[in-house]
């Protein structure tokens, strides 16, 4: 559906530009936008590769296992329907750690795998389970220590101090995570009372 919307927007924009006499400006915008997109992607790739390498070093050093063990008691309380040794729990914890380090691109496949495992626990039903809803709230509002994507974009646009965003991002994501968990728990207990 999203693909159809994008195609329709593009076609409508081109047709409007033809009738409006601004097709030359559209052509210039398309090519300059494509050039800028490639520049941004290369900048993002370099930062992402760096932090993925750091994650690999942290994994080899045992830091990720320690972080997983640190978060496990908290996460098991948020997901009481998920057995402690179930693969979904591992994917949930890995997704959280990747998000904490600002590796959204690395966290996405882990989040998809977590949802697949949670769907299996839900009996394959198409309705979202309590655990699936909680995971979505937690994943969307997760705490981020190092916003790598934003830092990379700020580097590409020659920001004077690209890492100035770290403090405000940490504060904002702490508040968003707390809010997400509180709202999720409110509706979780409401569902439990009705169910």
């Amino acid at each position: 559906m999203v693909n159809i919307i994008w195609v329709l927007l593009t076609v409508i924009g081109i047709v409007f530009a033809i009738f409006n006499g601004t097709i030359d400006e559209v052509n210039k915008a398309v090519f300059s936008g494509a050039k800028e997109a490639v520049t941004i992607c290369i900048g993002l790739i370099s930062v992402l590769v760096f932090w993925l390498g750091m994650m690999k070093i942290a994994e080899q050093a045992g830091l990720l296992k320690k972080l997983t063990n640190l978060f496990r008691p908290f996460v098991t309380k948020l997901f009481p329907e998920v057995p402690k040794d179930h693969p979904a729990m591992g994917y949930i914890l890995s997704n959280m750690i990747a998000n904490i380090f600002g590796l959204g691109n690395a966290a996405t496949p882990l989040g998809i795998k977590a949802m697949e495992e949670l769907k299996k626990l839900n009996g394959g039903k198409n309705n979202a389970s309590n655990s699936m809803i909680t995971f979505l709230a937690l994943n969307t509002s997760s705490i981020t220590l190092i916003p790598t994507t934003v830092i990379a974009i700020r580097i590409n646009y020659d920001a004077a101090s690209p890492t100035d965003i770290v403090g405000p991002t940490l504060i904002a994501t702490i508040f968003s995570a707390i809010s997400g968990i509180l709202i999720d728990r409110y509706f979780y207990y409401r569902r439990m009372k009705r169910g």
Side-chain angles (χ1 to χ4, degrees):
M1 185 65 182
V2 174
N3 293 339
I4 294 169
I5 293 170
W6 279 112
V7 169
L8 283 174
L9 288 173
T10 304
V11 169
I12 290 168
I14 291 171
V15 169
F16 183 77
I18 290 170
F19 285 116
N20 209 18
T22 57
I23 196 71
D24 289 337
E25 293 168 21
V26 170
N27 283 336
K28 288 176 189 172
V30 165
F31 290 113
S32 68
K35 180 182 175 187
E36 192 170 335
V38 169
T39 304
I40 290 171
C41 285
I42 290 170
L44 289 175
I45 289 169
S46 62
V47 171
L48 186 63
V49 166
F50 171 76
W51 283 108
L52 285 173
M54 294 299 282
M55 282 279 282
K56 194 68 177 167
I57 291 168
E59 181 184 8
Q60 297 287 328
L63 181 62
L64 291 184
K65 188 156 182 66
K66 288 178 183 172
L67 283 172
T68 301
N69 291 335
L70 178 73
F71 289 118
R72 189 175 296 277
F74 170 72
V75 173
T76 53
K77 285 193 181 3
L78 281 177
F79 298 93
E81 300 93 7
V82 180
K84 291 179 183 180
D85 58 345
H86 195 276
M89 193 60 72
Y91 288 123
I92 290 167
L93 287 162
S94 299
N95 175 273
M96 282 179 59
I97 291 167
N99 277 326
I100 285 171
F101 288 110
L103 300 170
N105 294 338
T108 300
L110 297 168
I112 291 169
K113 291 299 280 180
M115 277 297 196
E116 288 172 355
E117 293 297 328
L118 290 172
K119 186 173 182 177
K120 288 178 190 173
L121 278 175
N122 195 28
K125 297 176 191 166
N126 286 331
N127 294 340
S129 67
N130 289 333
S131 295
M132 293 168 91
I133 294 167
T134 299
F135 177 67
L136 187 61
L138 194 62
N139 185 45
T140 305
S141 64
S142 65
I143 295 173
T144 303
L145 294 177
I146 306 160
T148 55
T149 305
V150 177
I151 291 171
I153 291 170
R154 288 172 56 92
I155 289 170
N156 279 338
Y157 285 101
D158 300 323
S161 185
T163 57
D164 279 351
I165 197 74
V166 172
T169 299
L170 181 60
I171 293 167
T173 57
I174 286 172
F175 280 112
S176 72
I178 291 169
S179 300
I181 291 168
L182 290 175
I183 292 168
D184 173 70
R185 290 295 93 177
Y186 170 75
F187 285 105
Y188 174 81
Y189 290 120
R190 267 186 65 181
R191 286 189 304 271
M192 296 305 284
K193 284 181 184 176
R194 278 188 288 168

